Amino acid sequence: MQYPSNIRIVKVPCIGTIGAIHILKALENGADGVCLVGCSEGKCEYSSGNYRARKRVQYVKNLLGKLSIEKERLEIYNISAGEARKFCEVAREVTETVRSLGPIPLKTKAISNSKEE
Amino acid sequence: MFSKVGSVLVIGGGIAGIQASLDLADSGYFVYLIEKASFIGGKTAQLDKTYPLNDCSFCIRSDKHMECISHTNIKILTLSEVKDIKGSSGDFEATIIQHPRYVDIDKCTNCGLCAERCPEEVNDEFNEGLGKRKVIYLEFPEAAPNSYVIDRKNCLHFTEAGCNICKEACMEKAIDFDQKEQNISLNVGSIIFAAGFDSIIPPYYDYDKLPNVITSMEFERIHSLNGPYGGHLVRPSDRKEPSNIAWLQCIGSRDIYHNYCSSVCCMYAIKQAILARRSNKMLNATIFFMDMRVCGKDHERYYNHAKNEDNIRFVRSKVHNVFPVSGTDDLLIRYADEQGNIYEEIFNMVVLSLGLEPSHDAVRLAGNLGITLDKNNFVETSSFTPVNTSIPGIYVCGAFNAPKDISESITEASAAACASSLNAVSKVALPEPFEVTEQKPVPAGLIIGGGVTGMVSGLCLADQGYKVYLVEKTNKLGGHALKLRKTFKGEDVKSYIKELIDKVENHPLIDVCLNSEVKHTDGYAGNFSTRIAISSSTETKNIKHGVTIISTGADFLRTSEYLYGKNSRVLIWFHTDKILSEEPNTIEKANTWVFILCVGSREPERPYCSKICCSSALRNAMELKKLNPDMEIYVLYRDMRTYGLIEDLYTEARDKGIVFIRYKLDGKPEVEEDQDGKLMVRVKDNLLGEDLIIQPDFVTLQTAIVPGNNENLAKLFKLPVDQDGFLKEAHKKFKPVEFTAKGIYFAGLVHSPKPIDEAISQAQAAAAKAVTVLSREYISTNTEVASIDLKLCVACLTCARICPAGALIINGMGKPYIEPQKCFGCGICAVECPVKAISLEHFNNDLILTECEAFL
Amino acid sequence: MIVGQQKDFDEIKKMISGYNRILVLGCQTCVAISFAGGMREVEILASMIRMDRKMAGQDIEIVEDATLRQCDFEFLDSVENRVDNCDAVLSLACGVGVQALAERYPDKVILPGLNTTFMGLTEKMGVWSERCAGCGNCILDKTGGLCPIARCSKGLFNGPCGGSMDGKCEISPDVDCVWQLIIDRLTALNQLEKLEEIFPIKDWDVSGHGGTRKIVREDLTA
Amino acid sequence: MAISAKDLDPKFKFEIANIPGSELLKRCFTCGTCTAICPVSNTFSEYDPRKIIHMIILGLKDRVLSSENIWRCSHCETCKFSCPQGVHLSEIMDALQHMAVRDKYVTPDAFEKFGTAPCKAACPAHISIQGFIGMIAEGRYREGLRLIKETMPFPGICGRICHHPCEMKCNRGKVDEPLAIEYLKRFLADRGLSEDIGYVPETEEKKEEKVAVIGAGPAGLSAAYFLAIKGYPVTVFERLPVAGGMMAVGIPEYRLPRDILREEIKTIVDMGVEIKTGVSFGKDITIESLKNESYRAFFIAVGLHVSRGLNVEGENFDGIIHGINFLRDVSLKGNVTIGARTIVIGGGNVAIDVALTALRSGAKEVEMVCLESREEMPAWEHEIKDALDEGIKINNSWGPKRFIEENGKVKSVEFKRCTAVFDEKGRFNPQYDESELMTLEADTVLLSIGQACDMSFADGVPDLDVSPRGPSVKDPITLETNIQGLFVGGDASYGPRSVVEAVASGREAAISIDRYLKGEDIGADRPLEWKGIELEPQDVEHLARQQMQRLSITRRRNSFEEIDSGFSEQQARLEAGRCLRICGTQSKGNRGQGSGVGE
């Protein structure tokens, strides 16, 4: 079982602990996409962490829209810890999506814009 | 006097063994956990999802595995077997053989290089032989201990001397072919058999020849993401997705070879059918069964849902043959419906719902030790001491006691932990709590409800030296059990209760408060304070206690159906008990007696099974027969739910000539009286398609068990109540006697209807859980607790509003305060705090940020 | 408390264009509670600005900070250095805070990141609604503790208008008719007769219509 | 129509359940397995065994006993091991039928009207042949084997050497060829041995009364087997050093490998039967000595182990050997020297065994000489064919006149033409034409002209009525003798017959002994007679009978290797699939197929 090597995993006790700022920081610092992986809906050990995270992802997607960054770069999935295979699949899927979008405009535009100058 | 030894030997590292070990270890005992396999988890580890929540089995149990592996009070011996046990209660000498793993657990990093290189492949037992594995292997990625193991029998190093490929591949130098078998001698105070079960080998159905006839465990593996087919539901012969699957129930159960019910198969078959339908919406799932035995909490609802929402077809017919359909890999099943019509249907795959047999190794060992086994080789236990074997100091829990599911096994494991701890007195040091606050737990328990359950819990705590306050609403102890005569095994309930009440009333540490009710309660695990009102006076009493156990029981339905209340010969179950004890003449004069089951249970307004009605009806019917052998007894039932070893009672009842007639919910029996007040019962016989008119002298109604006034209780203790009005446990499968809130437990019928033996084991389990709190040197807190920087806090209340644990309160000064006993460290408050005043001890915001920033 | 709402990002972008060293300054009081201008929002906004500038190929230096209250000069002293070192301050405080900042640092460009919306309360997590219009002449004693000035769309004083339907305001079925609430409440309090008293014409002088309001307590002044 | 109390007889279920074999009746929990599996139900929709059981339990006595349905069971036993609660439908139907006759719901000729499959009826042991064949077809081998062992302890033996009268009666024979019943039985037995699914019948709770069996041949061992099932402690005394009787010392190894025999005898020993070999009844032990050892019942089945004489001149010269002695010596000693030119006198199956064994024991040339013409020969056709195939010359219609010696050793035999073997009444009374003579050279002459009983056993039980041929039976059905508690059976009591008949005899003896020891009426309801129902199969596709692999002629020479190699699993299933499966049922109605509804 393998997942793409260009995925960086940040482990958190509950997906509910990931705030908008964490997602933004990751993107700002060079991640081309961010994928939140939490427990299945209704199965949160902390009762509502994954539910909150899902709403928060929507919020950040809106922020990304304002920045003209593709919303697809951010996604949230519910995968339980036993579903290693599903995780790998999702990881591949996410990588594929992000790859098809290309590098985050943050990098490309920064380069092209600076060239124009 | 011999000196008692402070450690306990737990045989079997399945879910029951793990739970028993954890409870004992948490209460300060040292545990040796012996497991035959190379990993702990047992059969549960092979399961994909568990009913009735369809939870990922691994997610939840893996916590327990890790806890068990890392607990300083537990020594796990994998690849080990018990060779012999000598000595007696309090001082046993056990000889263990530990087989070599050939891999150093501490060095192995699970890189997998060894297995990659290993040239030899064999069938993978963990996947029920459906896949292959190397000879050096990890059973499954999350196996605990998480280390590779060498299967000596097939290893070329041993069979063809000299293969060293894996050894050379290992960078960590973890492979050691020189490891030798070890004899280990252990001195323990008590022993718990948690040896579990072996699946019955399918005796027919051409299981060995037809690849698409699979066992239920094979289905679990196929459906598992870490299984042989990566979780794709395909059939073995051609790896194609089946479009219709049949489940055949009672394979190796309820037959002449295994004349008991394996208890779990109905539920797991439904679960598997639901999962199959989820992975393929177009799939036809059919379950062939005899009686649908879904008696546990929420099980009936699960069944109804499967039938009505998931479109799973249930066919009441036992199937004995599966025929190959030539030219395909499909299978033909022939079955008869109740009217006698015979059908033939073709399925792509057939799952045999295999029954449970007590672990063969354990049977041998138990036999050598002289432990009394019943005729089916399960350990013989009494309803009143459900985890005690015939040898003092040796206890049993889980499926070796009787067929049972995970939650019942876990309950029983805790019960066994409780019972065995009385034999092993001296304790070892507990691991340091993460955060030590100065407070010690109040060494007392409050028990609410003075029925059998409450009394058993109370005695368990008191016998371990804790003060017990037993609060009972009525003016006497005993509860509804006072109305009962006998258990399903035929033991005398009355004398048991009398003895129990005596013990409770005379126990120096038990303070019985009759006519009392709880008015207010406050605090947290280790330190509760509760106000009790005594109904006869205006006086109230304040109690300090470290734990609370709720055992307020349940009530019975006062029905208005079937002329109850209008004709004095229509009785409720306990009236029958009464007549049996007090009116032998009445019985001698009666010619015909009718029992009607499921009165008020399993109906739209009460969609649950009351679990005890079948056995209580049969027990009373047998007693009636004994007093008057000529009496004709009819039992009108919907499904005969004599699960587990209770099946014996059903067999015996049929042997005695009791007549069983099945009715359907839409064709309930009618009870009428003629001009002379004589009773007449009309019921449709489904087999003959004709009405049967019985003129009984008495009709006994097995009325539903209904929840007591749990709403109040729930409000008082801030506890969740389920849809049926019973208390709701923290997790149906893995935390069966706990609430999410710590320090408060429950036992007995307040949680769901159950027979006396299960209530008693739950009572012991609750006590075991309570002891894990009471036995601490300090009130323990969770390892990860949020903390608030009050300088930054603006008391916006956000945290208090969102905390899922209810651990955040705003004190009178307008400042938030986190109750460390309640906080479970999820970090949600920290991320939501608008002024960033909250952080998580081990997991603060900056750490995540740093990680998120480390991308370029 | 004062409830604010962050300005649209495009507007903020326009506002800060041309400035390359910006202090984003939050206020940890009212607007923090309404999730518009606390430290948490400062971080998010700062991150967005940085990303936006980066995509435009422009450099920007952002300093993130927040004061306990921006509407008190004393709290503003602590950020003096930071203010000095930037081209502009993007304040996430309410209008009062923005102005306090502007007054305290007269040479600095001070920009508002929020629209200050109303005085109100948190109905539940994430929902805020207006309760007080600051009219300077409270009549809540007569209306059962519910303010028709702040909560009646038409600011009526003597009972509901003809548009009140099923307890809802005619402007939207989501808005409660405050007069319905007032009547219900007074009925429950058995004080319905209070409504029989006709409200006199309200003195709007104290509501700001008479110029900027100021309160002086002689006993407290130095 | 509603059923009311007056229609019900609550005692009915107890009445039926008290009949042996029907005990578990009340265990029925109406799962429906029996109905789904029953070939009769599958062809005749009125017949629903589950309903019948349910009606018994309800007490619908009149309705059940007057129903035609109770007569429809074909006793195929297909359902026997499928009922999860072990209810034996066939036995219950039997009980119902007898009760219906007894209580005059029907006249006794009802028994005539319905019956069973002709194979089962024809089998002396009444094996439920159609049942075990059905089980093979469904892959339920273990159950098939178990079903055979209900009535026959030697499926491996009888699967090889049985004269299979069942096959003669097979209804399939009317279409193409009869089922290979014998070989299918062998298939189950072999599979049982090779795959360790061998079935050791369960024995009832141990009883007190000891039973002695004299003679460990098929009859004696069968009696021991059935008595052991009933829980009796049984000891079998055998004069020879091995158990098995003629199966061990008569039937040659190339037809019956000895390991098969050993395994099937071992099963009986595993059931608790003690076999004492090398014990002569009449010499080492007697009835008196056994009674002193507290044996309570006796079964004598000593067989026919001595050869008849010829009464011909020179009969006692060296080189003239009795065929059964020869076979016994080959079996026991392994190696018997025999001349290059051997003559076998006799035309029965044993003579052929003797001839073929001679061929395997070193004889270069074997000729058979018999009184009968080729058509009259008592040996079975396929056996004669085997002999001819292996190059044995058969001289028909010759009788020995005299033996000619050289140095006291036989040199040649002179034969006279036999003109008729039987007289006009069909009795054995050979006529000769002394003018037509033939002389054959011989190094060895093997006489195989009939067997007789060794009467020395009579010394052990002087009071027993005997005839010159063997012990006398008082009642051929119960096998009682003039001595109470002493029963006789097997060849010694009725003359030379086959193993399966000996098994039947042993079983009848066991029934008698059981009833005797229980003090019951020994003769009641006996014999159990089966009527095979003839069928005119129509529209049946022709399917060839499966053929067994046989050893090549060249490999048979000088080798005792088994000739027939048995069916492969595939062959067995194909062959079992040829069974019509409806034999014994009366109706040909067909049931619809389709999807049933769920709950």
Side-chain angles (χ1 to χ4, degrees), chain B residues 236-375:
Chain B
S237 75
D238 52 11
R239 306 285 163 92
K240 286 197 181 123
E241 282 188 19
S243 61
N244 55 356
I245 306 180
W247 276 261
L248 310 187
Q249 299 306 105
C250 295
I251 310 300
S253 303
R254 301 185 67 193
D255 60 22
I256 46 173
Y257 307 107
H258 304 90
N259 205 5
Y260 54 85
C261 161
S262 291
S263 276
V264 298
C265 323
C266 284
M267 278 301 281
Y268 75 56
I270 297 176
K271 174 197 74 181
Q272 294 182 346
I274 290 175
L275 295 178
R277 289 259 314 155
R278 281 198 192 157
S279 57
N280 176 1
K281 296 270 179 300
M282 303 303 291
L283 183 126
N284 293 316
T286 308
I287 297 178
F288 291 94
F289 70 102
M290 300 198 282
D291 289 291
M292 192 39 69
R293 294 186 169 172
V294 287
C295 333
K297 182 160 182 162
D298 275 351
H299 292 183
E300 181 79 18
R301 193 173 257 110
Y302 193 68
Y303 167 46
N304 288 337
H305 192 275
K307 195 159 51 171
N308 303 328
E309 319 292 326
D310 293 311
N311 290 318
I312 288 160
R313 188 165 66 119
F314 289 85
V315 178
R316 192 178 293 270
S317 184
K318 167 111 182 177
V319 175
H320 189 265
N321 286 24
V322 175
F323 305 102
V325 177
S326 67
T328 70
D329 295 336
D330 293 342
L331 303 156
L332 180 132
I333 281 177
R334 190 190 297 144
Y335 65 94
D337 69 8
E338 276 186 299
Q339 284 69 48
N341 303 310
I342 299 175
Y343 301 95
E344 289 189 341
E345 262 180 76
I346 291 174
F347 294 90
N348 300 137
M349 186 156 106
V350 170
V351 185
L352 306 177
S353 293
L354 288 190
L356 277 46
E357 247 174 16
S359 158
H360 303 164
D361 290 347
V363 166
R364 220 170 299 129
L365 179 60
N368 290 344
L369 298 182
I371 293 174
T372 312
L373 302 177
D374 71 9
K375 59 177 184 279

Side-chain angles (χ1 to χ4, degrees), chain D residues 314-322 339 403-413 442-446:
Chain D
E315 200 178 335
N316 296 322
F317 292 146
D318 267 8
I320 301 175
I321 308 169
H322 284 182
F403 296 96
I404 300 156
E405 58 107 36
E406 194 179 80
N407 304 328
K409 193 174 173 303
V410 72
K411 180 171 158 277
S412 61
V413 191
D443 303 322
T444 306
V445 176
L446 294 164

Side-chain angles (χ1 to χ4, degrees), chain B residues 313-314 321 337 655 685 693, chain D residues 26 50 54 138 596 599:
Chain B
R313 188 165 66 119
F314 289 85
N321 286 24
D337 69 8
D655 278 347
D685 186 300
I693 295 166
Chain D
K26 291 172 288 162
R50 166 169 56 175
H54 185 64
E138 293 172 13
E599 287 222 321

Side-chain angles (χ1 to χ4, degrees), chain B residues 203-206 208-209 253-257 259 289-290 303 307 313-324 334-345 625 630 632 634 637 647 650-651 654-662 664 682 685 687-688 690-695, chain D residues 1-5 8-11 13-14 23-24 26-33 35-38 41-42 45 47-48 50-51 54-55 57-58 60 63 81-87 137-143 146 191 195 202 569 573 581 591-599:
Chain B
Y204 21 71
Y205 302 101
D206 265 357
D208 53 338
K209 277 192 281 305
S253 303
R254 301 185 67 193
D255 60 22
I256 46 173
Y257 307 107
N259 205 5
F289 70 102
M290 300 198 282
Y303 167 46
K307 195 159 51 171
R313 188 165 66 119
F314 289 85
V315 178
R316 192 178 293 270
S317 184
K318 167 111 182 177
V319 175
H320 189 265
N321 286 24
V322 175
F323 305 102
R334 190 190 297 144
Y335 65 94
D337 69 8
E338 276 186 299
Q339 284 69 48
N341 303 310
I342 299 175
Y343 301 95
E344 289 189 341
E345 262 180 76
K625 268 278 187 199
D630 291 334
E632 189 71 348
Y634 294 87
Y637 71 104
E647 182 74 8
Y650 183 28
T651 308
R654 297 198 312 279
D655 278 347
K656 286 274 177 303
I658 291 166
V659 180
F660 290 84
I661 306 214
R662 199 174 77 79
K664 295 182 181 169
R682 175 187 282 267
D685 186 300
L687 251 56
L688 301 179
E690 291 168 63
D691 278 2
L692 177 68
I693 295 166
I694 312 164
Q695 285 166 301
Chain D
M1 253 277 288
I3 304 162
S4 65
L8 302 177
D9 177 357
K11 301 247 173 335
K13 52 180 177 278
F14 297 107
E23 296 89 348
L24 293 175
K26 291 172 288 162
R27 286 276 170 97
C28 171
F29 46 39
T30 67
C31 68
T33 310
T35 304
I37 212 167
C38 174
S41 289
N42 274 276
S45 57
Y47 182 70
D48 184 347
R50 166 169 56 175
K51 259 184 210 169
H54 185 64
M55 288 193 285
I57 290 172
L58 277 179
L60 286 162
R63 208 198 282 193
F81 309 112
S82 63
C83 173
Q85 290 293 307
V87 178
E138 293 172 13
R140 290 154 61 206
Y141 306 133
R142 184 197 288 263
E143 290 169 325
R146 190 176 157 192
R191 207 179 153 82
E195 292 191 1
E202 287 137 42
E569 184 178 359
R573 281 183 100 149
R581 297 216 68 183
R591 307 195 80 135
Q593 294 185 358
S595 176
V597 283
E599 287 222 321

Side-chain angles (χ1 to χ4, degrees), chain C residues 58-176:
Chain C
Q58 299 160 3
D59 278 342
I60 189 160
E61 193 186 311
I62 293 185
V63 178
E64 301 160 26
D65 206 348
T67 56
L68 187 52
R69 277 204 301 281
Q70 264 182 49
C71 52
D72 276 309
F73 295 127
E74 291 86 339
F75 284 121
L76 300 182
D77 291 347
S78 61
V79 291
E80 188 167 2
N81 268 343
R82 296 185 160 185
V83 174
D84 284 348
N85 287 329
C86 69
D87 303 341
V89 181
L90 178 60
S91 164
L92 294 192
C94 67
V96 184
V98 177
Q99 292 182 58
L101 207 53
E103 266 176 65
R104 170 70 177 75
Y105 299 106
D107 331 329
K108 260 313 153 213
V109 177
I110 310 291
L111 305 168
L114 299 189
N115 295 319
T116 309
T117 41
F118 51 74
M119 285 181 274
L121 53 73
T122 311
E123 269 190 34
K124 57 180 186 185
M125 191 57 193
V127 179
W128 297 272
S129 60
E130 184 170 8
R131 285 292 182 271
C132 177
C135 73
N137 186 5
C138 196
I139 56 161
L140 288 170
D141 61 321
K142 299 188 173 63
T143 56
L146 293 139
C147 177
I149 301 163
R151 300 177 66 185
C152 169
S153 309
K154 298 178 182 179
L156 298 182
F157 279 81
N158 290 296
C161 69
S164 176
M165 287 275 285
D166 300 330
K168 298 292 174 187
C169 174
E170 67 179 341
I171 62 150
S172 162
D174 296 336
V175 177
D176 286 328

